[in-house]
Amino acid sequence: MKKYLILLMTALILAGCAPHAPSTSSGASSSTAPNQPAVPAGPALPGSALPAGPDQPEQEPDPRQAAVEDILASMTIEEKVGQIFFARCPETHAAALAAEYHLGGYLLFGRDFKDKTREQVVSDIQSYQGASAVPMLIGVDEEGGTVVRVSSNPALREARFQSPQQLYAQGGLEAILADAGEKDSLLRALGINVNFAPVADLSTDPADFIYDRTLGRDAQETSQYVAAVVEQMSADGMGSVLKHFPGYGSNVDTHTGIALDQRPLELFWEQDLLPFQAGIAAGAETGRAAVLVSHNIMAALDPDLPASLSPTVHDLLRQGLGFEGVILTDDLAMDAIGQYTADGSAAVLAVQAGNDMLVTTDFTQQIPQVLAALEDGTLDPALIDRAAARVLGWKYDLGLLS
């Protein structure tokens, strides 16, 4: 029955999000560059409603908001900045560095699981949490298929998790959901609370770089898949990360170079944005879904900056799609953004663009850059407060905060 409710919900989302091009009237932020299409205004943000009138009962305090505000008010600026970093877990001294830099999260890779027993992995993660004043997000890329950090270790799972394409061919969404549930159970048992999945990119061409990581189906089937997986992960208490916004398409690997996407904006609205819309809607109730922005250059909105560093692309996600949760960058150490951040200011540009969490390997260099930018006025402290509040809200929704 749950399967059919998910399908019905997604069908309604797709019906209500018929392909359209964004309005060019007011609604885009002031960061929209000349000659770039504006994006439509999204729904009002939380807290924007008018106050209760004399004939309206006072609303009960929101425990989530109260918890976030209490923690934020007690933090130093160094602690707030640390919270917005979802750092790649270092090979040595990880617990000490988590405490020193007040990190919001650690992203674990294959090396963090290689040749380790379950007990060793659990112990490692507990050491990171024990060193942190605020519970950490512990993330991993366990997509299934070609990207499996955990199940690549036979001591943690007898066989690697299969790719979405394999599962879908074998048993449709039912097989997908059973796999997602098993995956969530394993990750949570290890102490992992965020899986950087599902991949919401569209690709039906095996020649595409991203193809093997996608469902390999059209926009409608992919949207149903994404919504179903986000719903399952939310039910399991697992954080999900929709990636790679605004849709990878046929672009080259941004780990090794620049990817320029010259497709028209209308095509994104007709195809690539639909799975993200479906996933955002599926995760809205629990608040456990985040969105990761790629380093592809979306020429239709901003021909000058990678999406991860573009305020205009973030406007598309916030205002055009109405997303209110945490926005993450792809790894800021990737080659695709090197020429834009030659002075080492990748994190500063990423915060200015509208990201809430910065995924990066070189956090020990990037955090001082952000603090320096706050000191000299390059960065507005309000940007850090807003990002840190969203991060804390995500942690609350995942049950990490009381």
Side-chain angles (χ1 to χ4, degrees):
M1 176 63 70
K2 180 178 179 182
K3 167 186 171 184
Y4 296 108
L5 289 175
I6 292 170
L7 290 173
L8 177 59
M9 180 194 73
T10 306
L12 292 172
I13 292 168
L14 292 173
C17 300
H20 64 286
S23 168
T24 55
S25 60
S26 63
S29 76
S30 59
S31 60
T32 304
N35 302 321
Q36 291 180 344
V39 297
L45 295 175
S48 63
L50 294 175
D55 298 328
Q56 297 176 312
E58 290 291 332
Q59 292 184 343
E60 290 293 324
D62 179 1
R64 179 185 189 273
Q65 182 176 349
V68 169
E69 290 178 351
D70 286 348
I71 296 173
L72 198 64
S74 70
M75 284 181 162
T76 65
I77 189 61
E78 289 82 8
E79 290 170 333
K80 292 175 184 178
V81 169
Q83 282 300 298
I84 71 172
F85 278 80
F86 211 135
R88 180 172 183 174
C89 188
E91 290 190 80
T92 58
H93 310 299
L97 288 169
E100 179 182 353
Y101 288 94
H102 316 288
L103 296 173
Y106 267 151
L107 180 58
L108 309 183
F109 283 76
R111 73 183 185 196
D112 301 301
F113 303 99
K114 184 175 175 58
D115 300 327
K116 292 182 180 180
T117 65
R118 285 187 179 226
E119 292 74 21
Q120 287 174 315
V121 173
V122 170
S123 177
D124 286 346
I125 292 174
Q126 287 177 344
S127 73
Y128 312 151
Q129 294 289 22
S132 302
V134 178
M136 295 183 73
L137 298 165
I138 305 295
V140 70
D141 292 290
E142 191 68 19
E143 300 171 8
T146 60
V147 180
V148 284
R149 314 301 190 195
V150 176
S151 61
S152 59
N153 179 351
L156 303 178
R157 189 175 190 268
E158 185 176 338
R160 293 170 176 246
F161 283 106
Q162 292 181 288
S163 72
Q165 290 184 28
Q166 292 171 314
L167 291 165
Y168 197 68
Q170 293 168 11
L173 279 181
E174 186 173 347
I176 291 280
L177 294 179
D179 176 81
E182 182 186 350
K183 196 178 294 179
D184 294 339
S185 179
L186 172 59
L187 298 184
R188 285 180 59 83
L190 296 173
I192 296 166
N193 46 50
V194 176
N195 188 5
F196 278 55
V199 172
D201 301 294
L202 291 178
S203 176
T204 57
D205 185 351
D208 291 345
F209 161 73
I210 202 68
Y211 173 78
D212 289 338
R213 298 169 63 185
T214 71
L215 187 67
R217 304 283 175 148
D218 63 17
Q220 181 174 1
E221 287 183 276
T222 301
S223 297
Q224 292 171 345
Y225 153 72
V226 168
V229 171
V230 169
E231 177 101 357
Q232 180 67 54
M233 293 175 70
S234 293
D236 294 338
M238 179 61 60
S240 58
V241 178
L242 302 166
K243 59 186 186 183
H244 308 77
F245 188 83
Y248 215 96
S250 60
N251 291 289
V252 298
D253 183 3
T254 51
H255 289 84
T256 57
I258 296 171
L260 176 61
D261 193 329
Q262 296 182 310
R263 292 177 293 167
L265 185 58
E266 291 77 13
L267 186 61
F268 281 92
W269 281 106
E270 292 168 1
Q271 297 181 11
D272 292 71
L273 296 181
L274 297 182
F276 289 98
Q277 287 179 308
I280 289 168
E285 184 175 350
T286 65
R288 292 172 181 158
V291 176
L292 181 146
V293 181
S294 76
H295 298 320
N296 293 345
I297 297 174
M298 187 183 181
L301 281 185
D302 189 341
D304 300 318
L305 288 171
S308 56
L309 304 181
S310 168
T312 312
V313 174
H314 286 72
D315 286 346
L316 173 65
L317 180 52
R318 289 287 186 214
Q319 300 174 16
L321 274 67
F323 180 60
E324 298 178 354
V326 168
I327 299 177
L328 305 96
T329 68
D330 212 339
D331 193 336
L332 294 177
M334 289 163 64
D335 290 347
I337 63 170
Q339 74 176 58
Y340 301 94
T341 58
D343 60 353
S345 61
V348 175
L349 292 175
V351 172
Q352 290 173 328
N355 294 286
D356 303 303
M357 292 203 84
L358 316 180
V359 178
T360 188
T361 302
D362 57 349
F363 64 92
T364 58
Q365 287 78 46
Q366 292 294 334
I367 287 177
Q369 287 273 350
V370 173
L371 291 171
L374 288 166
E375 181 70 23
D376 66 19
T378 302
L379 273 182
D380 184 348
L383 294 176
I384 301 298
D385 283 351
R386 183 177 64 185
R390 284 202 180 102
V391 173
L392 293 172
W394 194 19
K395 291 184 176 185
Y396 183 94
D397 292 334
L398 289 171
L400 301 179
L401 306 180
S402 59

